[in-house]
PDB file of all heavy atoms in Angstrom:
ATOM      1  N   LEU A 296      31.957  52.983  51.862  1.00  0.00           N
ATOM      2  CA  LEU A 296      33.089  52.886  50.961  1.00  0.00           C
ATOM      3  C   LEU A 296      34.387  52.631  51.731  1.00  0.00           C
ATOM      4  O   LEU A 296      34.849  53.486  52.537  1.00  0.00           O
ATOM      5  CB  LEU A 296      33.227  54.209  50.146  1.00  0.00           C
ATOM      6  CG  LEU A 296      34.437  54.275  49.128  1.00  0.00           C
ATOM      7  CD1 LEU A 296      34.364  53.146  48.117  1.00  0.00           C
ATOM      8  CD2 LEU A 296      34.433  55.642  48.489  1.00  0.00           C
ATOM      9  N   LEU A 297      34.986  51.468  51.471  1.00  0.00           N
ATOM     10  CA  LEU A 297      36.190  51.073  52.183  1.00  0.00           C
ATOM     11  C   LEU A 297      37.418  51.323  51.262  1.00  0.00           C
ATOM     12  O   LEU A 297      37.302  51.398  50.014  1.00  0.00           O
ATOM     13  CB  LEU A 297      36.139  49.660  52.659  1.00  0.00           C
ATOM     14  CG  LEU A 297      34.967  49.312  53.606  1.00  0.00           C
ATOM     15  CD1 LEU A 297      34.928  47.794  53.922  1.00  0.00           C
ATOM     16  CD2 LEU A 297      35.106  50.161  54.869  1.00  0.00           C
ATOM     17  N   SER A 298      38.604  51.302  51.804  1.00  0.00           N
ATOM     18  CA  SER A 298      39.829  51.642  51.094  1.00  0.00           C
ATOM     19  C   SER A 298      40.905  50.651  51.360  1.00  0.00           C
ATOM     20  O   SER A 298      42.082  50.919  51.152  1.00  0.00           O
ATOM     21  CB  SER A 298      40.326  53.072  51.432  1.00  0.00           C
ATOM     22  OG  SER A 298      40.587  53.159  52.843  1.00  0.00           O
ATOM     23  N   GLY A 299      40.547  49.450  51.797  1.00  0.00           N
ATOM     24  CA  GLY A 299      41.510  48.400  52.112  1.00  0.00           C
ATOM     25  C   GLY A 299      41.317  47.923  53.546  1.00  0.00           C
ATOM     26  O   GLY A 299      40.141  48.078  54.062  1.00  0.00           O
ATOM     27  N   SER A 300      42.283  47.387  54.203  1.00  0.00           N
ATOM     28  CA  SER A 300      42.156  46.869  55.562  1.00  0.00           C
ATOM     29  C   SER A 300      43.351  47.132  56.412  1.00  0.00           C
ATOM     30  O   SER A 300      44.356  46.496  56.212  1.00  0.00           O
ATOM     31  CB  SER A 300      41.820  45.345  55.508  1.00  0.00           C
ATOM     32  OG  SER A 300      41.716  44.804  56.765  1.00  0.00           O
ATOM     33  N   GLY A 301      43.280  48.169  57.259  1.00  0.00           N
ATOM     34  CA  GLY A 301      44.443  48.537  58.080  1.00  0.00           C
ATOM     35  C   GLY A 301      44.758  49.968  58.013  1.00  0.00           C
ATOM     36  O   GLY A 301      44.811  50.542  56.947  1.00  0.00           O
ATOM     37  N   GLY A 305      45.140  51.239  54.402  1.00  0.00           N
ATOM     38  CA  GLY A 305      43.744  50.927  54.000  1.00  0.00           C
ATOM     39  C   GLY A 305      42.751  51.635  54.928  1.00  0.00           C
ATOM     40  O   GLY A 305      43.030  52.687  55.448  1.00  0.00           O
ATOM     41  N   SER A 306      41.594  51.038  55.060  1.00  0.00           N
ATOM     42  CA  SER A 306      40.546  51.606  55.960  1.00  0.00           C
ATOM     43  C   SER A 306      41.020  51.443  57.413  1.00  0.00           C
ATOM     44  O   SER A 306      41.558  50.310  57.778  1.00  0.00           O
ATOM     45  CB  SER A 306      39.226  50.890  55.765  1.00  0.00           C
ATOM     46  OG  SER A 306      38.607  51.282  54.558  1.00  0.00           O
ATOM     47  N   ALA A 311      35.724  51.640  60.495  1.00  0.00           N
ATOM     48  CA  ALA A 311      34.841  50.861  59.613  1.00  0.00           C
ATOM     49  C   ALA A 311      33.813  50.055  60.370  1.00  0.00           C
ATOM     50  O   ALA A 311      32.628  50.079  60.081  1.00  0.00           O
ATOM     51  CB  ALA A 311      35.699  49.995  58.676  1.00  0.00           C
ATOM     52  N   CYS A 327      28.748  47.286  51.722  1.00  0.00           N
ATOM     53  CA  CYS A 327      30.199  47.755  51.591  1.00  0.00           C
ATOM     54  C   CYS A 327      30.613  47.718  50.137  1.00  0.00           C
ATOM     55  O   CYS A 327      30.251  46.833  49.374  1.00  0.00           O
ATOM     56  CB  CYS A 327      31.119  46.852  52.462  1.00  0.00           C
ATOM     57  SG  CYS A 327      30.885  47.048  54.200  1.00  0.00           S
ATOM     58  N   PHE A 328      31.414  48.716  49.788  1.00  0.00           N
ATOM     59  CA  PHE A 328      31.989  48.831  48.462  1.00  0.00           C
ATOM     60  C   PHE A 328      33.458  49.116  48.622  1.00  0.00           C
ATOM     61  O   PHE A 328      33.905  49.676  49.579  1.00  0.00           O
ATOM     62  CB  PHE A 328      31.303  49.950  47.645  1.00  0.00           C
ATOM     63  CG  PHE A 328      29.929  49.697  47.186  1.00  0.00           C
ATOM     64  CD1 PHE A 328      28.824  49.984  48.018  1.00  0.00           C
ATOM     65  CD2 PHE A 328      29.719  49.154  45.975  1.00  0.00           C
ATOM     66  CE1 PHE A 328      27.566  49.750  47.570  1.00  0.00           C
ATOM     67  CE2 PHE A 328      28.408  48.907  45.484  1.00  0.00           C
ATOM     68  CZ  PHE A 328      27.304  49.204  46.321  1.00  0.00           C
ATOM     69  N   ALA A 329      34.238  48.854  47.549  1.00  0.00           N
ATOM     70  CA  ALA A 329      35.662  49.369  47.419  1.00  0.00           C
ATOM     71  C   ALA A 329      36.060  49.346  46.017  1.00  0.00           C
ATOM     72  O   ALA A 329      35.522  48.537  45.224  1.00  0.00           O
ATOM     73  CB  ALA A 329      36.518  48.396  48.312  1.00  0.00           C
ATOM     74  N   PRO A 330      37.013  50.156  45.637  1.00  0.00           N
ATOM     75  CA  PRO A 330      37.456  50.136  44.301  1.00  0.00           C
ATOM     76  C   PRO A 330      38.306  48.918  43.955  1.00  0.00           C
ATOM     77  O   PRO A 330      39.131  48.518  44.820  1.00  0.00           O
ATOM     78  CB  PRO A 330      38.290  51.455  44.196  1.00  0.00           C
ATOM     79  CG  PRO A 330      38.741  51.675  45.555  1.00  0.00           C
ATOM     80  CD  PRO A 330      37.637  51.208  46.464  1.00  0.00           C
ATOM     81  N   GLN A 334      46.533  48.813  45.790  1.00  0.00           N
ATOM     82  CA  GLN A 334      46.897  49.789  46.808  1.00  0.00           C
ATOM     83  C   GLN A 334      48.176  50.564  46.419  1.00  0.00           C
ATOM     84  O   GLN A 334      48.994  50.073  45.591  1.00  0.00           O
ATOM     85  CB  GLN A 334      47.257  49.075  48.173  1.00  0.00           C
ATOM     86  CG  GLN A 334      46.028  48.378  48.746  1.00  0.00           C
ATOM     87  CD  GLN A 334      46.396  47.682  50.096  1.00  0.00           C
ATOM     88  OE1 GLN A 334      45.505  47.077  50.668  1.00  0.00           O
ATOM     89  NE2 GLN A 334      47.614  47.875  50.597  1.00  0.00           N
ATOM     90  N   ASN A 352      45.379  44.230  46.490  1.00  0.00           N
ATOM     91  CA  ASN A 352      44.190  44.821  45.862  1.00  0.00           C
ATOM     92  C   ASN A 352      43.302  45.417  46.893  1.00  0.00           C
ATOM     93  O   ASN A 352      43.016  44.786  47.927  1.00  0.00           O
ATOM     94  CB  ASN A 352      43.480  43.806  45.028  1.00  0.00           C
ATOM     95  CG  ASN A 352      42.272  44.322  44.349  1.00  0.00           C
ATOM     96  OD1 ASN A 352      41.238  44.403  44.911  1.00  0.00           O
ATOM     97  ND2 ASN A 352      42.376  44.686  43.111  1.00  0.00           N
ATOM     98  N   VAL A 353      42.848  46.683  46.696  1.00  0.00           N
ATOM     99  CA  VAL A 353      41.983  47.372  47.678  1.00  0.00           C
ATOM    100  C   VAL A 353      40.646  46.640  47.906  1.00  0.00           C
ATOM    101  O   VAL A 353      40.294  46.422  49.075  1.00  0.00           O
ATOM    102  CB  VAL A 353      41.637  48.756  47.149  1.00  0.00           C
ATOM    103  CG1 VAL A 353      40.680  49.450  48.113  1.00  0.00           C
ATOM    104  CG2 VAL A 353      42.942  49.621  47.121  1.00  0.00           C
ATOM    105  N   LEU A 354      40.057  46.109  46.914  1.00  0.00           N
ATOM    106  CA  LEU A 354      38.768  45.389  47.065  1.00  0.00           C
ATOM    107  C   LEU A 354      38.976  44.111  47.775  1.00  0.00           C
ATOM    108  O   LEU A 354      38.189  43.804  48.684  1.00  0.00           O
ATOM    109  CB  LEU A 354      38.163  45.165  45.685  1.00  0.00           C
ATOM    110  CG  LEU A 354      36.887  44.326  45.590  1.00  0.00           C
ATOM    111  CD1 LEU A 354      35.785  45.051  46.364  1.00  0.00           C
ATOM    112  CD2 LEU A 354      36.444  44.104  44.183  1.00  0.00           C
ATOM    113  N   VAL A 355      40.015  43.383  47.424  1.00  0.00           N
ATOM    114  CA  VAL A 355      40.304  42.089  48.104  1.00  0.00           C
ATOM    115  C   VAL A 355      40.563  42.314  49.532  1.00  0.00           C
ATOM    116  O   VAL A 355      40.089  41.542  50.448  1.00  0.00           O
ATOM    117  CB  VAL A 355      41.446  41.368  47.434  1.00  0.00           C
ATOM    118  CG1 VAL A 355      41.872  40.112  48.217  1.00  0.00           C
ATOM    119  CG2 VAL A 355      41.095  40.987  45.994  1.00  0.00           C
ATOM    120  N   GLU A 356      41.358  43.344  49.910  1.00  0.00           N
ATOM    121  CA  GLU A 356      41.683  43.540  51.299  1.00  0.00           C
ATOM    122  C   GLU A 356      40.510  44.050  52.086  1.00  0.00           C
ATOM    123  O   GLU A 356      40.224  43.702  53.219  1.00  0.00           O
ATOM    124  CB  GLU A 356      42.839  44.599  51.366  1.00  0.00           C
ATOM    125  CG  GLU A 356      44.164  44.043  50.910  1.00  0.00           C
ATOM    126  CD  GLU A 356      44.593  42.842  51.780  1.00  0.00           C
ATOM    127  OE1 GLU A 356      44.858  43.010  52.950  1.00  0.00           O
ATOM    128  OE2 GLU A 356      44.639  41.740  51.184  1.00  0.00           O
ATOM    129  N   ALA A 357      39.699  44.987  51.492  1.00  0.00           N
ATOM    130  CA  ALA A 357      38.453  45.484  52.172  1.00  0.00           C
ATOM    131  C   ALA A 357      37.491  44.391  52.473  1.00  0.00           C
ATOM    132  O   ALA A 357      36.701  44.480  53.415  1.00  0.00           O
ATOM    133  CB  ALA A 357      37.861  46.598  51.322  1.00  0.00           C
ATOM    134  N   ALA A 358      37.552  43.331  51.623  1.00  0.00           N
ATOM    135  CA  ALA A 358      36.552  42.211  51.856  1.00  0.00           C
ATOM    136  C   ALA A 358      36.856  41.552  53.188  1.00  0.00           C
ATOM    137  O   ALA A 358      35.900  40.909  53.756  1.00  0.00           O
ATOM    138  CB  ALA A 358      36.740  41.235  50.687  1.00  0.00           C
ATOM    139  N   ARG A 359      38.004  41.745  53.775  1.00  0.00           N
ATOM    140  CA  ARG A 359      38.258  41.161  55.091  1.00  0.00           C
ATOM    141  C   ARG A 359      37.360  41.845  56.148  1.00  0.00           C
ATOM    142  O   ARG A 359      36.802  41.166  57.001  1.00  0.00           O
ATOM    143  CB  ARG A 359      39.720  41.430  55.476  1.00  0.00           C
ATOM    144  CG  ARG A 359      40.781  40.744  54.647  1.00  0.00           C
ATOM    145  CD  ARG A 359      42.176  41.136  54.989  1.00  0.00           C
ATOM    146  NE  ARG A 359      43.223  40.486  54.215  1.00  0.00           N
ATOM    147  CZ  ARG A 359      43.758  39.327  54.487  1.00  0.00           C
ATOM    148  NH1 ARG A 359      43.362  38.714  55.619  1.00  0.00           N
ATOM    149  NH2 ARG A 359      44.714  38.793  53.749  1.00  0.00           N
ATOM    150  N   ILE A 360      37.221  43.153  56.038  1.00  0.00           N
ATOM    151  CA  ILE A 360      36.360  43.875  57.006  1.00  0.00           C
ATOM    152  C   ILE A 360      34.885  43.549  56.758  1.00  0.00           C
ATOM    153  O   ILE A 360      34.133  43.412  57.683  1.00  0.00           O
ATOM    154  CB  ILE A 360      36.570  45.376  56.915  1.00  0.00           C
ATOM    155  CG1 ILE A 360      38.069  45.753  57.252  1.00  0.00           C
ATOM    156  CG2 ILE A 360      35.622  46.184  57.780  1.00  0.00           C
ATOM    157  CD1 ILE A 360      38.427  47.160  56.990  1.00  0.00           C
ATOM    158  N   ALA A 361      34.497  43.424  55.483  1.00  0.00           N
ATOM    159  CA  ALA A 361      33.127  43.238  55.135  1.00  0.00           C
ATOM    160  C   ALA A 361      32.736  41.726  55.217  1.00  0.00           C
ATOM    161  O   ALA A 361      31.618  41.375  54.825  1.00  0.00           O
ATOM    162  CB  ALA A 361      32.880  43.719  53.733  1.00  0.00           C
ATOM    163  N   ARG A 362      33.552  40.871  55.675  1.00  0.00           N
ATOM    164  CA  ARG A 362      33.343  39.371  55.771  1.00  0.00           C
ATOM    165  C   ARG A 362      32.918  38.892  54.433  1.00  0.00           C
ATOM    166  O   ARG A 362      32.054  37.972  54.346  1.00  0.00           O
ATOM    167  CB  ARG A 362      32.285  39.142  56.800  1.00  0.00           C
ATOM    168  CG  ARG A 362      32.734  39.555  58.299  1.00  0.00           C
ATOM    169  CD  ARG A 362      31.565  39.494  59.262  1.00  0.00           C
ATOM    170  NE  ARG A 362      30.980  38.129  59.303  1.00  0.00           N
ATOM    171  CZ  ARG A 362      31.383  37.120  60.072  1.00  0.00           C
ATOM    172  NH1 ARG A 362      32.477  37.291  60.813  1.00  0.00           N
ATOM    173  NH2 ARG A 362      30.829  35.994  60.083  1.00  0.00           N
ATOM    174  N   GLY A 363      33.557  39.377  53.346  1.00  0.00           N
ATOM    175  CA  GLY A 363      33.291  38.891  52.053  1.00  0.00           C
ATOM    176  C   GLY A 363      32.104  39.468  51.356  1.00  0.00           C
ATOM    177  O   GLY A 363      31.925  39.307  50.112  1.00  0.00           O
ATOM    178  N   GLU A 364      31.234  40.198  52.099  1.00  0.00           N
ATOM    179  CA  GLU A 364      30.023  40.785  51.513  1.00  0.00           C
ATOM    180  C   GLU A 364      30.354  42.202  51.045  1.00  0.00           C
ATOM    181  O   GLU A 364      30.057  43.205  51.710  1.00  0.00           O
ATOM    182  CB  GLU A 364      28.872  40.838  52.565  1.00  0.00           C
ATOM    183  CG  GLU A 364      28.444  39.460  53.057  1.00  0.00           C
ATOM    184  CD  GLU A 364      27.793  38.683  51.918  1.00  0.00           C
ATOM    185  OE1 GLU A 364      27.064  39.328  51.079  1.00  0.00           O
ATOM    186  OE2 GLU A 364      27.947  37.487  51.771  1.00  0.00           O
ATOM    187  N   ILE A 365      30.919  42.254  49.920  1.00  0.00           N
ATOM    188  CA  ILE A 365      31.375  43.588  49.328  1.00  0.00           C
ATOM    189  C   ILE A 365      31.245  43.583  47.874  1.00  0.00           C
ATOM    190  O   ILE A 365      31.326  42.541  47.204  1.00  0.00           O
ATOM    191  CB  ILE A 365      32.821  43.906  49.827  1.00  0.00           C
ATOM    192  CG1 ILE A 365      33.239  45.361  49.552  1.00  0.00           C
ATOM    193  CG2 ILE A 365      33.804  42.880  49.208  1.00  0.00           C
ATOM    194  CD1 ILE A 365      34.488  45.716  50.284  1.00  0.00           C
ATOM    195  N   LYS A 366      31.112  44.797  47.300  1.00  0.00           N
ATOM    196  CA  LYS A 366      30.991  44.956  45.845  1.00  0.00           C
ATOM    197  C   LYS A 366      32.045  45.953  45.428  1.00  0.00           C
ATOM    198  O   LYS A 366      32.438  46.827  46.101  1.00  0.00           O
ATOM    199  CB  LYS A 366      29.582  45.418  45.449  1.00  0.00           C
ATOM    200  CG  LYS A 366      28.482  44.408  45.742  1.00  0.00           C
ATOM    201  CD  LYS A 366      27.193  44.938  45.259  1.00  0.00           C
ATOM    202  CE  LYS A 366      26.018  43.949  45.496  1.00  0.00           C
ATOM    203  NZ  LYS A 366      24.689  44.431  45.052  1.00  0.00           N
TER     204      LYS A 366
END
Side-chain angles (χ1 to χ4, degrees):
L296 179 59
L297 301 177
S298 58
S300 179
S306 287
C327 293
F328 288 88
Q334 293 183 184
N352 178 278
V353 174
L354 177 59
V355 172
E356 290 301 294
R359 295 174 180 272
I360 297 174
R362 296 171 58 87
E364 295 295 324
I365 193 166
K366 295 181 178 182

